[in-house]
Amino acid sequence: MAKMTKSLIRMLGRGGTDFPGRVAMKLDHKVLAQCAKGVKCIVVTGTNGKTTSSRMIEQTLKDLGVSFFCNKSGANLITGITAEFISHSTLTGHCKCDYALIECDEAAFKEVSTMIDARAIVVTNIFRDQLDRYGEVTHTLNSIKIGISHSPKATLCLNADDSMVASIADDFKNKVVYFGVNVPIYKKRVQEVSDAPFCIKCKHEYVYDYVTYGHLGGYRCPNCGYHRPTPDVAVVKVLQSDASKSVVDLTVDGTPYRATINLPGGYNIYNACGTVAVGRALKLDMTAVIRSLSEFAPGFGRMEKLVIDGTPIRMILVKNPAGCNQVLNFVTNVSEPSVFVVCLNDRDADGTDISWIWDVDFEKIAEMGSQLKGLFLSGVRADEMALRFKYAGIPEEKMKVIKDYETLMKTCAAQKCPVYIMPTYTAMMDLRNKITKMYDVKNFWE
Amino acid sequence: MDQPLRICHLYPDILNLYGDRGNVLCLKRRMEWRNMPVEVSKVGVGEPLKADDYDLFFVGGGQDFDQEVLLPDLFSGKDKELKAAIEDGKPVLAICGGYQMLGAYYKTWDGKQIDFIGALDFYTKGVKTRMIGNYVFTFDDRPGVNVIGFENHSGKTYLGAGVRPMGTVLKGYGNNGEDKTEGVRYKNVFGTYSHGCLLPKNPAVADALLSAALERKTGHGELSPLPDRFENRAHDEMEKRLLG
């Protein structure tokens, strides 16, 4: 075992993300269980917001001096997680840290959870995502429940505003910390298809006192009485919300705090709440947790910003209707005339089914009128994206299909106005590589 | 044409799997682009359906959980109205779950039978493996035209003698992955597994539906051509990828 781990660690020197984990698992499926022995794990799962939530939690753990490591590069399947544990273990397979912060794919969670000691599990939300890969939303919910059933010692940090996520608590004896937002976030929201209009308990249609976004908000079932639980970590007021940050008043078990969330967009308010909920679950100093939130800076593809030839470019990952609609809530409210780029791929990691683009309220971009200076479409399915925008009501002459990334980036850099690039996952990776090669912006995503 | 073409979007809240609503948007826009009046109505759970009020029906696909919500509502009278409309020759486009519901029944892989409205002569059997992916099939109503779509179903559909398929699968699974048939045609009903957004990138199918509806309503089904540059590019790109 020790010998094997040693050779694996040597391989890790070459810096692969999940390749060594894949090899290790071939050799010994239980290598993760071995390395994870005695490590208290914080798991972040759910459809949207895993990466940003993990980075926010990372910031608080770092600021509070907790001994931990995390899987940072988005390798959130069992192979990537295994690789991360190996690289933080001694030659005999013992982990050097007290805690591990693990971003975990919702489908992989049920297997990962059998081999680790989870002490806190954050479930961010459950939306429709890549039906070709994950199946129906209830299937995702069940995968997460199986994962939790392997984690009796974990405190569950659940999104109270998501009826599916909140319902998880009823099936387990685990301690629960609910987080949620008590008030509407957006004055004008995008038009959305609800992913959970019917009561998870009795299938009657929910009544909403307010909606924050998607199917999140103050739901209650008039038939069986199932309703949004009162959150322990609750945003009670949104004081400010602009293109760079949000300032909110929140309460933790009734004690008031004011928090600055260093990322725009209502969905990041939820990511921050989940982070505070983890702090509460681990009994960390609350004032310090909330202070460190304001120190947070975003990770790659999650609102990263770079300037090329004087043109400010922001790259924001999109991958499913709910997430993409939230990005639109943000980008369509910008104050300067801007250029938008959508880069749509349909490889396995993007989801091979791209029909979700028809569920996104791209009509909001058409409503921007002269604020929209131009729209470039790229990626493998650029033509389908252009068609979607034609139906959204964007004049054909405002659109340009640019499939070659080099030409695309040169055109973007020449705009001299803000450019917002919305790529799917593999398109984001390819674009990053291209930008790194073309311009001197090597570390912009770090 | 003075009276608008009346489109009924049945169960928009439940049968709305990935992009289905784009089909209704497509029908509406293709009427508007031709300066022809059109009207879309949504009919959901608990709302009455009167077939006489509409000229064209759209039914999308849904998730299993949501479909359980819908069946009692369907059988509280909507089934009869829908059957009457179909027999009356009104065009219906039904996708995936909506398609299956027009048939006789769905038998789950462990033998449980769920009865559907039986408007058309076919049935569906559930299997454990899903049939997923981009696919292409011929559109027999318009010889020479191929339909491209994305299928994602674990039900295998078998057609009876009273109906014919929409076309022959050139790449992918289609109705059952065995007999190369895809979809169903009966009078003016079009059923298919092409979930997500079928019509925008298959304008020939959209126009076939509109044409049938207009023919029945006004006696004139001819449609003026539209500049389908974007449509054809999206269609041809995928067709080329699938057929080489």
Side-chain angles (χ1 to χ4, degrees), chain A residues 128-132 136-138 191 193-194 197-200 203 321 346 352-353 355-356 358-361 363 380-381 383-384 386-388 390-391 396 399 401 403, chain B residues 13-14 16-22 25-26 29-30 33 62-66 68-69 132 134 150 152 195-197 200-201 227-231 233-234 237-238 241:
Chain A
R128 294 195 295 190
D129 181 24
Q130 303 183 16
L131 292 173
D132 50 321
E136 309 198 344
V137 285
T138 46
Q191 293 281 321
V193 175
S194 174
F198 301 102
C199 179
I200 187 90
K203 298 187 167 69
D346 65 354
T352 55
D353 182 4
S355 31
W356 61 271
W358 292 90
D359 279 337
V360 176
D361 188 18
E363 281 72 10
V380 182
R381 302 299 291 271
D383 292 311
E384 185 111 1
L387 183 58
R388 173 68 187 93
K390 175 183 171 179
Y391 272 95
E396 292 186 24
M399 286 188 264
V401 171
K403 288 195 181 171
Chain B
D13 297 334
I14 305 181
N16 63 4
L17 216 54
Y18 267 17
D20 282 340
R21 67 177 185 165
L25 178 67
C26 177
R29 287 273 190 274
R30 294 185 76 79
W33 288 335
Q63 311 200 43
D64 292 345
F65 176 86
D66 299 332
E68 288 171 34
V69 175
I132 304 179
N134 291 298
F150 193 94
N152 183 353
H195 93 75
C197 217
K201 57 179 174 279
D228 287 329
R229 201 162 56 97
F230 280 45
E231 285 80 354
R233 241 176 15 205
E237 185 77 8
M238 185 43 88
R241 206 168 114 183

Side-chain angles (χ1 to χ4, degrees), chain A residues 45 77 103 124 127 250 260 290 354 356 395:
Chain A
T45 192
L77 301 175
E103 172 190 339
T124 58
F127 283 102
L250 56 82
T260 299
I290 287 164
I354 53 113
W356 61 271

Side-chain angles (χ1 to χ4, degrees), chain A residues 61-75:
Chain A
L61 296 180
K62 212 190 294 174
D63 291 351
L64 273 75
V66 176
S67 150
F68 78 106
F69 71 91
C70 53
N71 58 331
K72 211 170 170 174
S73 41

Side-chain angles (χ1 to χ4, degrees), chain A residues 388-433:
Chain A
R388 173 68 187 93
F389 278 113
K390 175 183 171 179
Y391 272 95
I394 309 261
E396 292 186 24
E397 61 275 10
K398 259 194 181 175
M399 286 188 264
K400 210 169 181 180
V401 171
I402 309 175
K403 288 195 181 171
D404 176 63
Y405 285 166
E406 198 163 321
T407 316
L408 176 70
M409 288 320 299
K410 278 184 185 156
T411 316
C412 285
Q415 294 302 311
K416 307 298 174 227
C417 73
V419 176
Y420 292 90
I421 305 180
M422 290 167 263
T424 56
Y425 187 76
T426 66
M428 179 184 77
M429 298 310 238
D430 293 348
L431 270 172
R432 267 181 53 204
N433 286 339

Side-chain angles (χ1 to χ4, degrees), chain A residues 12 144 280 283 319 337 368 414 438:
Chain A
L12 271 160
I144 292 174
R280 161 110 163 33
K283 300 191 173 68
K319 51 180 183 170
M368 293 173 74
M438 290 173 70

Side-chain angles (χ1 to χ4, degrees), chain A residues 87-109:
Chain A
S87 72
H88 288 90
S89 293
T90 63
L91 296 187
T92 50
H94 292 291
C95 186
K96 296 177 247 179
C97 301
D98 300 336
Y99 282 89
L101 168 60
I102 303 168
E103 172 190 339
C104 191
D105 175 88
E106 352 19 321
F109 177 46

